[in-house]
Amino acid sequence: NKPLAFENFLKAGQGGSLKSLYNAALMLERGDGIKRDLERALALYREAAQKGSQAAQSRLSILEGPQKP
């Protein structure tokens, strides 16, 4: 049940699990069992990246391209 998995990832992410926050963002980005929402995915990737997730930082660099100084 992918919608339930998404909700569980989101809850765990809000509880501090960076991997879960990343997984929720990935599901949103891909529309994996839930409605695709790239803006929300980017917001979750940014949150996870700011908290130290290297995986989220990598996805952001791919999706957003190089940041201008």
Side-chain angles (χ1 to χ4, degrees):
N1 184 325
K2 298 225 176 184
L4 181 59
F6 171 75
E7 290 301 323
N8 286 334
F9 282 141
L10 200 54
K11 285 179 188 176
Q14 291 167 345
S17 170
L18 297 182
K19 185 170 179 117
S20 293
L21 203 56
Y22 173 84
N23 286 334
L26 192 60
M27 289 182 79
L28 283 166
E29 177 191 345
R30 295 180 176 170
D32 185 13
I34 57 172
K35 185 177 179 190
R36 188 172 191 261
D37 186 341
L38 190 55
E39 289 303 313
R40 190 171 176 203
L42 288 170
L44 291 179
Y45 283 137
R46 285 185 196 109
E47 182 181 344
Q50 288 172 349
K51 293 178 179 179
S53 170
Q54 294 287 1
Q57 289 172 12
S58 293
R59 285 305 302 152
L60 280 174
S61 69
I62 291 166
L63 295 171
E64 294 182 324
Q67 297 296 313
K68 297 177 184 171

